[in-house]
Amino acid sequence: LFEAIGIKNVRMLPARRSDEAPGIGPGTHYLLAQPFLGETALELERRGAHRIAAPFPFGEEGTTAWLHAAARTFGISPEKVDEVIEAPRARAKAAVAKVAETLTGKSVFFFPDSQLEIPLARFLARECGMETVEVGAPYIHGDLMAPDLGLLPEGPVISEGQDVDLQLDRCREARPDLTVCGLGLANPLEAEGLRTKWAIELVFTPVHGYEQAADLAELFARPLRRTERLAV
Amino acid sequence: MKLSVWTYEGPPHVGAMRIATGMQGLHYVLHAPQGDTYADLLFTMIERRNHRPPVTYTTFQARDLGSDTATLFKEACQEAYERFQPQAMIVGASCTAELIQDDPGGLADALDLPIPTVPLELPSYQRKENWGASETFYQLVRHLAQPMERTPEVSCNILGPTALGFRHRDDVLEISRLLESMGITVNVVAPMYASPADIQRLGAAHFNVVLYPEIAETAARWMTKNLGQKATSVIPIGVGATREFITEISELLEQDVHAPETGLHLPWWSRSVDSTYLTGKRVFIFGDATHAVAMARVATEEMGFEVVGLGCFNREFARDVRAAAKKYGVDPLITDDYLDVEAAIEATQPEMILGTQMERHIGKRLGIPCAVISAPVHVQDFPARYSPVMGWEGANVLFDTLIHPLVMGLEEHLLHMFREDFEFHDGAGPSHLGGHAPAAHAEPEPEPVQHAPAPEDIAAANLNGEPSWDPDAEKELRKIPFFVRGKARRNTEKFAAEMGRMIIDVETLYDAKAHFAR
């Protein structure tokens, strides 16, 4: 997509092989693809690279904003971007909408785990019609999170850091339809009749960009569909 | 009868052998040529039985055919009686001997032995093993069982287990324990473990539990009519069915009976978070009708799988499979030709197969994991440990059986993410299955093509109506993990055909993916 938009020299960090690592310096602009890269960002800045502020590329909206931000930096017109992303964007919207049928109107509660919580809450609230009860993150990097926080609808408790007993109290009180949490909490909460989503799976699964936006939604929908299916 | 390299069922006299071998104090005199004695190994090798089946073969040879094979049979019968001193005998002919029409039943009658002798008419060229077993058991019951006074306590017979059955040994124990927990005693288990004397006292039970309808339904129906015993119809495979089985017994006895669900783990195992990845796994199920239908229910309601194929090899029970297939919205596959089954599996590209020994081989060839859930099975599916498939423990065993061949939840993601890594490459298969994994058969690397498809290629694709893949799309397809790639390929081709696109490019692949999103 970057190439089609007109940004030619685009490299991935980290590269698949260490000998393909990109050179980084004052002429480099960088876009973060994951929110837990605060240290990396710091190191890049130290080498003179410039961060392009954008929401993270989760969901159709996040991906669109991410690409637009990059184009803006290089003086490419938004019309050009829109033209390039028209087809994949429409595909993502349609595919996410289908999965969102399971999610719309359901409530979700995030325990702090991977720092992906805020962008994901933004995706679930704005593209899947979910109600976010609480969004807990282990650490909130104000600068990196600002674009996503700005998009997150009013309402949910935003909590930083961990106090698991208090968070559990709030979660049990709210009885959300879906709780996103770490591996240690998932089964105990399931045993209490709460449906959960392993946060770690969101890190391991390819969920970025347009073509994988529905896969991302599917990760949240699957536990809910399983409950509907099972008769034991 | 059709000769084939592999068959799901043997001829009907093998069914009779399964009854005789399972029972005590019964002897089977089989008019059969030399060579038919091979059937012994089914029991002694595959089931690891440490005694020869109680079968006397007349073993006539080609040179006997001109002389008196009838005398040969009578002598064999008399000698078998003297040597084995059975409580009763069954007599019949194997497929080859049927052609010489010696009438084993009449000949045995003429010997006037002091024990009951039950003649078997097993038409080898129209019927098969399960039918032969069912007919043999029915004839034994009809000849030996008598109406009699019921036991003072509530009791039942357990009907259907035989030698060479799939998990019959452990199912009988599990269901006996279940019945005991309900306050019901077991009068007789038959045919396996029963002697002819036990068959005579079947009538003392208050009702019958039919575990394997393929073997016992005909006999149970006769008993309902002649001994006044009601029979169960629910097969207690899986949690839901076991609960229904208990309810059915309650209704049949017209009294409230309950069973504690002690030791049942499936519901929590299936609801625990690790099992989320099982949701919607596409399974193809094939076996005997009873096991196939029961497993379809377990797969959907208790594991959260999706049934994409359902079939059986025994036509006698095809109706049950047709009804179930309709419920799951799939075409029933009724065939005793494993090549038909292989073709159906290849066409549906399931993520797992639940089948017999034959489907296990098919799965190996196609690189699709398979769990064995029905006879016929090979030696490794007669486990040393306690492994029922019925009742509460049976449900636990099924959960384990059905997840073991699969790639584990988080491993699925690792395989995807690190697919270029040596440890997780396509051929690696599930890590816990080591080198013997049902590894995906290697797909050939797409030829590097520098130019766009030539017009004549497109024309050719149009001619046979099948869209062709452009190299970039092939490359993209290979990024999909092997255990779902077949499905992705099939879905994309279906989508392309529906949309009238003759060339599948990356856009088509993505369009199809969005189209099939749930």
Side-chain angles (χ1 to χ4, degrees):
Chain A
L1 286 178
F2 282 116
E3 198 171 318
I5 289 168
I7 307 172
K8 301 296 179 196
N9 190 7
V10 180
R11 306 289 296 274
M12 285 291 288
L13 180 72
R16 280 227 175 247
R17 298 165 53 98
S18 59
D19 56 3
E20 290 167 3
I24 292 153
T28 309
H29 292 269
Y30 70 94
L31 263 173
L32 292 180
Q34 294 282 21
F36 44 75
L37 299 173
E39 291 279 324
T40 311
L42 212 63
E43 191 58 37
L44 290 172
E45 304 273 342
R46 218 192 318 269
R47 294 186 183 203
H50 310 284
R51 185 169 67 86
I52 302 171
F56 288 92
F58 299 114
E60 171 273 315
E61 192 185 28
T63 307
T64 302
W66 196 69
L67 292 169
H68 269 292
R72 211 162 33 242
T73 306
F74 294 100
I76 294 161
S77 76
E79 291 76 23
K80 173 70 185 166
V81 179
D82 286 337
E83 186 196 318
V84 169
I85 63 179
E86 193 189 342
R89 191 180 176 188
R91 260 196 307 260
K93 270 188 181 167
V96 169
K98 263 192 250 176
V99 185
E101 284 168 20
T102 312
L103 298 172
T104 301
K106 303 270 173 36
S107 57
V108 59
F109 188 110
F110 280 89
F111 275 85
D113 189 273
S114 63
Q115 300 190 48
L116 265 71
E117 293 83 4
I118 290 168
L120 292 179
R122 181 260 302 156
F123 167 69
L124 292 177
R126 294 177 60 105
E127 295 183 44
C128 302
M130 291 189 87
E131 180 209 338
T132 45
V133 180
E134 171 160 344
V135 184
Y139 170 71
I140 299 176
H141 191 300
D143 282 349
L144 302 190
M145 281 302 158
D148 280 290
L149 271 174
L151 290 171
L152 195 62
E154 292 285 315
V157 175
I158 310 281
S159 68
E160 184 177 5
Q162 199 179 33
D163 191 330
V164 73
D165 285 320
L166 290 178
Q167 276 156 343
L168 278 171
D169 286 346
R170 292 201 296 273
C171 182
R172 288 178 181 130
E173 171 76 27
R175 292 207 62 86
D177 295 305
L178 187 67
T179 303
V180 184
C181 61
L183 295 167
L185 291 178
N187 269 337
L189 289 173
E190 290 279 347
E192 292 178 28
L194 293 168
R195 296 311 330 225
T196 62
K197 166 82 250 124
W198 282 357
I200 191 75
E201 212 173 355
L202 301 159
V203 181
F204 278 167
T205 313
V207 291
H208 289 78
Y210 293 123
E211 310 304 349
Q212 297 175 139
D215 297 345
L216 179 57
E218 167 64 16
L219 285 178
F220 296 99
R222 198 179 289 167
L224 300 178
R225 275 197 287 106
R226 183 161 186 82
T227 314
E228 286 166 22
R229 253 169 204 265
L230 289 183
V232 283
Chain B
M1 194 173 74
K2 197 159 62 170
L3 286 177
S4 169
V5 185
W6 289 349
T7 59
Y8 287 97
E9 293 187 80
H13 76 261
V14 170
M17 283 181 73
R18 287 176 58 183
I19 304 294
T21 306
M23 284 180 66
Q24 316 282 327
L26 179 76
H27 201 83
Y28 185 15
V29 180
L30 183 60
H31 204 17
Q34 263 190 345
D36 274 11
T37 51
Y38 78 91
D40 281 3
L41 76 83
L42 295 173
F43 301 91
T44 57
M45 201 289 267
I46 293 178
E47 203 182 3
R48 303 177 200 262
R49 285 196 171 252
N50 54 8
H51 284 87
R52 286 190 53 226
V55 180
T56 296
Y57 303 87
T58 56
T59 54
F60 55 82
Q61 301 175 44
R63 64 162 185 266
D64 297 325
L65 289 175
S67 60
D68 192 1
T69 50
T71 306
L72 192 69
F73 179 82
K74 283 207 279 195
E75 282 167 10
C77 229
Q78 185 69 43
E79 280 165 22
Y81 169 68
E82 283 159 14
R83 177 188 289 269
F84 297 104
Q85 295 284 313
Q87 294 174 22
M89 290 210 297
I90 49 178
V91 297
S94 79
C95 19
T96 325
E98 201 185 326
L99 298 172
I100 55 178
Q101 300 189 336
D102 270 340
D103 182 22
L107 294 170
D109 247 7
L111 288 175
D112 208 17
L113 297 171
I115 54 164
T117 308
V118 179
L120 300 175
E121 294 286 342
L122 306 177
S124 304
Y125 299 92
Q126 293 112 51
R127 299 294 194 168
K128 286 174 177 269
E129 181 179 326
N130 275 329
W131 186 88
S134 169
E135 173 68 11
T136 305
F137 184 48
Y138 164 66
Q139 290 300 342
L140 278 168
V141 169
R142 202 172 69 91
H143 278 84
L144 302 176
Q146 303 290 332
M148 59 176 63
E149 206 177 312
R150 301 274 193 256
T151 57
E153 75 285 1
V154 177
S155 67
C156 67
N157 300 313
I158 295 180
L159 304 181
T162 65
L164 265 188
F166 181 66
R167 307 292 167 88
H168 287 191
R169 175 197 72 186
D170 300 338
D171 284 349
V172 166
L173 186 53
E174 183 66 19
I175 296 305
S176 299
R177 285 175 181 167
L178 179 72
L179 290 162
E180 191 189 341
S181 79
M182 297 161 72
I184 297 166
T185 56
V186 176
N187 179 52
V188 169
V189 176
M192 194 153 78
Y193 309 124
S195 65
D198 292 328
I199 303 288
Q200 280 169 338
R201 61 186 187 87
L202 281 170
H206 293 230
F207 69 100
N208 287 318
V209 167
V210 176
L211 287 191
Y212 308 103
E214 272 86 351
I215 313 288
E217 196 176 80
T218 309
R221 210 177 294 133
W222 182 89
M223 290 159 80
T224 302
K225 206 170 152 201
N226 296 282
L227 307 178
Q229 293 164 322
K230 289 180 186 167
T232 58
S233 63
V234 178
I235 309 303
I237 294 179
V239 180
T242 302
R243 286 174 183 158
E244 250 170 51
F245 173 78
I246 294 161
T247 309
E248 189 184 28
I249 291 174
S250 246
E251 286 166 4
L252 184 149
L253 290 173
E254 292 171 14
Q255 68 181 73
D256 251 5
V257 286
H258 300 281
E261 298 188 354
T262 318
L264 171 65
H265 301 301
L266 182 142
W268 168 240
W269 253 243
S270 194
R271 285 186 179 274
S272 70
V273 70
D274 185 74
S275 296
T276 306
Y277 82 97
L278 301 172
T279 311
K281 286 245 183 252
R282 305 164 69 258
V283 293
F284 189 103
I285 305 173
F286 195 86
D288 67 42
T290 298
H291 283 87
V293 170
M295 287 312 300
R297 178 173 177 185
V298 172
T300 51
E301 293 182 4
E302 303 180 13
M303 302 300 285
F305 293 153
E306 187 190 338
V307 174
V308 295
L310 180 62
C312 73
F313 55 80
N314 50 336
R315 288 170 196 280
E316 291 90 344
F317 286 75
R319 192 197 301 191
D320 300 345
V321 169
R322 290 209 172 90
K326 198 169 169 194
K327 187 173 145 198
Y328 299 110
V330 297
D331 287 333
L333 177 64
I334 316 294
T335 179
D336 57 3
D337 185 341
Y338 70 94
L339 293 172
D340 293 347
V341 181
E342 178 160 10
I345 290 173
E346 213 165 359
T348 33
Q349 288 288 336
E351 284 159 88
M352 177 156 70
I353 307 166
L354 308 179
T356 71
Q357 170 67 12
M358 313 284 238
E359 284 67 45
R360 204 159 61 81
H361 279 291
I362 292 168
K364 255 185 195 169
R365 273 201 303 282
L366 299 178
I368 301 170
C370 177
V372 172
I373 52 96
S374 164
V377 295
H378 203 9
V379 60
Q380 74 217 72
D381 289 300
F382 285 99
R385 67 171 186 271
Y386 182 57
S387 324
V389 292
M390 293 186 176
W392 308 138
E393 184 60 15
N396 298 337
V397 168
L398 285 178
F399 182 88
D400 293 348
T401 306
L402 267 48
I403 64 159
H404 183 79
L406 293 170
V407 178
M408 288 177 288
L410 280 183
E411 193 178 5
E412 285 191 356
H413 301 307
L414 294 174
L415 284 167
H416 192 169
M417 204 154 212
F418 301 112
R419 60 181 176 270
E420 285 163 19
D421 201 87
F422 69 95
E423 204 178 341
F424 296 102
H425 66 86
D426 273 6
S431 62
H432 63 295
L433 297 180
H436 308 289
H441 52 153
E443 286 186 40
E445 280 286 345
E447 291 286 314
V449 179
Q450 311 297 332
H451 52 84
E456 58 266 31
D457 289 349
I458 299 174
N462 278 312
L463 268 183
N464 64 24
E466 282 184 15
S468 62
W469 287 76
D470 122 335
D472 283 344
E474 274 280 359
K475 223 170 124 188
E476 194 67 16
L477 181 72
R478 294 182 60 81
K479 291 184 186 168
I480 298 169
F482 66 84
F483 47 86
V484 286
R485 193 182 302 144
K487 172 187 163 197
R489 179 185 284 279
R490 196 171 140 265
N491 277 352
T492 308
E493 285 169 359
K494 194 170 134 204
F495 175 79
E498 274 167 20
M499 307 300 287
R501 301 190 198 175
M502 289 333 284
I503 297 294
I504 298 172
D505 53 13
V506 177
E507 286 289 304
T508 310
L509 186 65
Y510 287 149
D511 284 345
K513 186 182 176 202
H515 178 78
F516 286 105
R518 291 184 255 231

